[in-house]
Amino acid sequence: MAKKKGRSVGVIGLGSMGLGVARTLVKKGFQVHAFDVRANVVKAFASEGGIAAANPGEVGANASVLIVLVVNADQTDEVLFGRNGAAARMPRGSVVIASATVPPAYAEYLGNRLAQHGIYLIDAPVSGGAARAATGQLSIMASGHKNAFRYAQPVLDAVAAKVYRLGEHAGMGSKVKMINQLLAGVHIAAACEAMALGIRAGVDPNVLYEVISNSAGSSWMFQNRVPHILAGDYTPLSAVNIFVKDLGIVLDSAKKLTFPLPITATAHQMYLMAGAAGHGAEDDSSVVKVFQMVSGIPLPAKRARARPTATRRRAAAARIVAKQVKAPVKKKSANGKRKAPAKKKR
Amino acid sequence: MAKKKGRSVGVIGLGSMGLGVARTLVKKGFQVHAFDVRANVVKAFASEGGIAAANPGEVGANASVLIVLVVNADQTDEVLFGRNGAAARMPRGSVVIASATVPPAYAEYLGNRLAQHGIYLIDAPVSGGAARAATGQLSIMASGHKNAFRYAQPVLDAVAAKVYRLGEHAGMGSKVKMINQLLAGVHIAAACEAMALGIRAGVDPNVLYEVISNSAGSSWMFQNRVPHILAGDYTPLSAVNIFVKDLGIVLDSAKKLTFPLPITATAHQMYLMAGAAGHGAEDDSSVVKVFQMVSGIPLPAKRARARPTATRRRAAAARIVAKQVKAPVKKKSANGKRKAPAKKKR
């Protein structure tokens, strides 16, 4: 019985990340008690082997390790401490794994508040997106008491490919995640700015993607998001609004530290422009549409089918970019018979 | 004799990039005629197997493939068309490989002007830094007439690991390079901003580097430049002034196209701030010192020896970041005897 309870886990928030995590846990043999404000999503998850809860408190009563994967700090606070909240019904010594991207100061407050209930916090923002949530391959930037890690390790191992242990201080996980979001947000906006200028200057965007991906100008986000632009497919894998929020957290947190972030602030404005133009719910690569709106540059149109695979994309680029030819040049003819270029008038 | 002449090549500009290229060509059996405004540098190169020229024209008279690796467009123009310039003495049908980072519009002009002399241009900016110049591992973003490539291919093969063929239009190589520099420049400045905020927020910078390098916030430049900050070593591998210049070229070229670049413009200001503070000749990661100046954050001090190797850096980070432990948790004790965290007052 005790052993069975050790395999029982709660998940609150069944969005694209939370649902992936919850399904992964079911797949790996955990009893997963789950809640989401959307009752139909909970019901659907129950039909896949999960256990539906009527409210967060019911999850808390049935699981002594609880993953909270809602959107932000307000929602985290609500499901833990609001009406029918989980914290009041969790046993002493249980563990909350808080995985929303939140201000580091909130994570510190949350650690203290949960401690008043005798509950451990693992401040554990995640990275990797919905695809890696679904396969149990997330990266987790985690800080918390060593006892909490000891108890929750099987759950963390089930959902993550890599767990960074960042010490015992609640807030450290969220600080590292905040810096990651700063860079991720800037890199996406910069990728959009760069591709837009390239198109304006008359460079084939597929060639540009191919060359830059293999050069010093590359970034993880450039390689990940530019294919959306090339495919003309702005189906949100992560939406513009997420970075309106996350860079907002970065800037607010820095302001509290009286710390200037000129590039981050500018990137944030680009996401706000995309949001103002009505693209807030679209893929974050929609920042490139701001440049289209003001300059009329031609963006690649949506292709008839789904996004091209990496293989097909590379094949397309290879038709244009001739790779280095290592074949030896015939020296005689090269020296003897070369033609001078035609004169051109300037 | 004709064959011997086919192995003869000219290099004008023996800076950190040009000297690496020239030495590589000597190593690979070419006769390398070289010129630099600094006579002592030319003399030193001659003692390593190169052939000293008294002026650019002398290089042009002895080589029908000429690599120009000076700092900018002005210098390129001067060595080709100025007093004792190379172009006037190069035979018809010979090839200039112009590898400085220049405005695309200048590359277009240069192609036309050389054509009036019956000389081909390969617009061929390089990427990879001094280290890869020295080992013949550069990336070259190249456009030009197919005859030019046919004739110059052995030289390109000798100095580059990868040659991107970007069509026949002079200017296309420089356009792609310009976009690469936009991103490279933004990524370095963003890496400095991110590391500075992390330090201000109390995150160990070694841990931050380790986690971000493996996360979605990473970039080629983050991984390459942040170790300089961690080592407190601002010996210039590429100087702040290079990006003052290169982002200046990007912004000027975009202005001619009436194209806005909000993030690039902000990054350019950060390099100008670093330059204004007297760090123009130091490593471009010195942008982080601007944040130190205004906020007093503690940057890692210079270590006693040279930069740490990647291995030693990783070992240092590993002492702090405990990696994921896949060992199974003892479930009985974990379930039965876990301790509740101590209550804390907020």
Side-chain angles (χ1 to χ4, degrees):
Chain A
M1 183 63 193
K3 196 165 184 181
K4 211 167 180 184
K5 196 171 176 194
R7 301 292 288 176
S8 166
V9 59
V11 177
I12 297 180
L14 296 174
S16 60
M17 299 293 288
L19 188 59
V21 163
R23 284 173 170 161
T24 295
L25 288 165
V26 167
K27 220 176 292 166
K28 299 201 175 171
F30 287 84
Q31 292 181 5
V32 185
H33 299 265
F35 174 75
D36 192 282
V37 286
R38 299 160 300 169
N40 60 326
V41 174
V42 181
K43 201 176 155 188
F45 176 60
S47 75
E48 297 175 26
I51 302 163
N55 55 55
E58 217 175 282
V59 179
N62 284 289
S64 47
V65 173
L66 169 61
I67 302 178
V68 180
L69 244 170
V70 293
V71 169
N72 55 23
D74 281 354
Q75 291 186 7
T76 300
D77 223 61
E78 176 66 22
V79 301
L80 288 173
F81 308 114
R83 198 174 132 83
N84 293 319
R89 300 192 54 191
M90 293 181 74
R92 291 180 61 77
S94 56
V95 179
V96 167
I97 300 172
S99 292
T101 297
V102 301
Y106 174 76
E108 290 169 0
Y109 149 81
L110 181 60
N112 290 333
R113 183 147 181 204
L114 286 172
Q116 290 168 18
H117 292 263
I119 299 170
Y120 289 109
L121 171 68
I122 299 181
D123 173 26
V126 296
S127 171
R132 294 179 64 186
T135 56
Q137 298 285 306
L138 289 171
S139 288
I140 304 190
M141 301 164 190
S143 59
H145 195 280
K146 62 180 188 302
N147 290 347
F149 279 105
R150 200 177 299 138
Y151 190 49
Q153 196 70 50
V155 175
L156 294 170
D157 285 352
V159 303
K162 201 154 195 174
V163 179
Y164 289 101
R165 288 276 296 268
L166 301 168
E168 303 224 336
H169 177 72
M172 194 51 80
S174 288
K175 284 175 183 175
V176 172
K177 170 76 187 214
M178 174 175 79
I179 304 300
N180 184 66
Q181 292 308 92
L182 181 166
L183 287 164
V186 167
H187 293 170
I188 293 169
C192 292
E193 185 166 307
M195 291 301 296
L197 175 61
I199 292 168
R200 177 67 185 84
V203 184
D204 183 302
N206 292 292
V207 172
L208 203 50
Y209 175 73
E210 182 69 15
V211 179
I212 302 284
S213 290
N214 290 293
S215 300
S218 189
S219 69
W220 194 98
M221 280 299 181
F222 183 91
Q223 295 194 28
N224 189 268
R225 296 302 205 271
V226 171
H228 303 179
I229 298 171
L230 299 179
D233 186 350
Y234 298 91
T235 308
L237 295 190
S238 180
V240 166
N241 285 337
I242 298 288
F243 273 110
V244 171
K245 169 180 81 74
D246 284 4
L247 291 190
I249 288 175
V250 177
L251 291 164
D252 286 349
S253 298
K255 198 177 75 178
K256 278 186 191 142
L257 297 168
T258 321
F259 202 83
L261 300 175
I263 298 177
T264 310
T266 308
H268 191 226
Q269 292 296 315
M270 299 310 297
Y271 290 102
L272 282 168
M273 283 196 205
H279 304 304
E282 294 175 28
D283 193 71
D284 47 28
S285 57
S286 297
V287 168
V288 77
K289 293 183 184 174
V290 174
F291 292 95
Q292 183 189 38
M293 291 180 81
V294 297
S295 71
I297 53 165
L299 292 180
K302 186 166 183 172
R303 294 179 194 158
R305 300 190 182 229
R307 284 175 187 173
T309 62
T311 312
R312 266 188 284 159
R313 222 182 330 101
R314 271 194 288 274
R319 282 195 293 275
I320 307 159
V321 181
K323 295 294 167 64
Q324 181 183 24
V325 181
K326 280 281 183 189
V329 173
K330 288 175 199 157
K331 288 201 179 83
K332 235 178 194 169
S333 77
N335 278 337
K337 296 181 183 174
R338 65 187 187 276
K339 258 176 72 182
K343 276 195 187 188
K344 284 182 197 169
K345 293 273 177 210
R346 279 196 57 214
Chain B
M1 182 64 191
K3 197 166 184 179
K4 211 168 180 184
K5 194 172 178 194
R7 301 292 288 176
S8 165
V9 59
V11 176
I12 296 179
L14 296 175
S16 60
M17 299 294 288
L19 187 58
V21 163
R23 284 173 170 162
T24 296
L25 288 165
V26 168
K27 219 176 295 168
K28 298 199 176 172
F30 287 84
Q31 292 181 4
V32 185
H33 299 264
F35 175 75
D36 190 281
V37 285
R38 298 161 303 170
N40 61 325
V41 174
V42 181
K43 200 175 157 191
F45 176 62
S47 75
E48 298 175 25
I51 302 164
N55 55 54
E58 217 176 283
V59 179
N62 285 289
S64 48
V65 173
L66 168 62
I67 302 178
V68 180
L69 244 169
V70 293
V71 169
N72 55 25
D74 281 354
Q75 292 186 7
T76 301
D77 222 61
E78 176 65 22
V79 301
L80 288 172
F81 308 114
R83 196 174 135 81
N84 293 319
R89 302 191 53 191
M90 293 181 74
R92 289 181 61 80
S94 55
V95 179
V96 167
I97 300 173
S99 292
T101 297
V102 302
Y106 174 76
E108 290 169 1
Y109 149 81
L110 180 60
N112 290 335
R113 183 147 181 203
L114 286 172
Q116 290 168 19
H117 292 262
I119 300 170
Y120 290 109
L121 171 67
I122 300 183
D123 174 24
V126 295
S127 170
R132 294 178 66 185
T135 57
Q137 297 286 305
L138 290 170
S139 289
I140 303 189
M141 301 162 188
S143 59
H145 195 280
K146 61 181 189 300
N147 290 348
F149 279 105
R150 200 177 300 137
Y151 189 50
Q153 196 70 48
V155 175
L156 294 171
D157 285 351
V159 302
K162 201 155 196 173
V163 178
Y164 288 102
R165 288 276 296 268
L166 300 168
E168 304 224 337
H169 176 72
M172 194 51 81
S174 289
K175 283 176 183 175
V176 172
K177 170 75 187 220
M178 174 176 78
I179 305 299
N180 184 67
Q181 291 309 90
L182 182 166
L183 287 163
V186 168
H187 292 169
I188 292 170
C192 292
E193 184 166 309
M195 291 302 296
L197 175 61
I199 291 169
R200 177 66 185 83
V203 185
D204 182 302
N206 293 291
V207 172
L208 203 50
Y209 176 71
E210 182 70 16
V211 178
I212 302 286
S213 289
N214 290 292
S215 300
S218 189
S219 69
W220 194 98
M221 280 299 182
F222 182 92
Q223 295 193 27
N224 189 267
R225 296 302 206 271
V226 172
H228 303 179
I229 299 172
L230 299 180
D233 187 350
Y234 298 90
T235 308
L237 295 190
S238 180
V240 165
N241 284 338
I242 299 289
F243 273 110
V244 171
K245 168 179 80 77
D246 283 4
L247 292 190
I249 288 175
V250 177
L251 291 164
D252 285 350
S253 298
K255 198 177 75 177
K256 279 186 191 143
L257 297 166
T258 319
F259 202 83
L261 301 175
I263 297 178
T264 310
T266 308
H268 192 225
Q269 290 297 314
M270 299 311 296
Y271 290 103
L272 282 169
M273 282 195 206
H279 304 304
E282 295 175 28
D283 192 71
D284 48 26
S285 57
S286 297
V287 168
V288 77
K289 293 183 185 175
V290 174
F291 292 96
Q292 182 189 38
M293 291 180 81
V294 298
S295 73
I297 53 164
L299 292 179
K302 185 165 183 173
R303 294 177 195 162
R305 299 185 183 235
R307 283 176 188 172
T309 62
T311 312
R312 266 187 285 160
R313 226 184 325 102
R314 270 195 288 275
R319 281 196 293 276
I320 307 160
V321 180
K323 294 294 167 60
Q324 183 181 22
V325 183
K326 280 279 183 191
V329 172
K330 287 178 198 158
K331 288 201 178 87
K332 234 180 197 167
S333 76
N335 279 337
K337 296 181 186 173
R338 65 189 186 273
K339 257 176 75 184
K343 277 195 186 188
K344 284 183 197 169
K345 293 274 178 210
R346 281 195 57 215

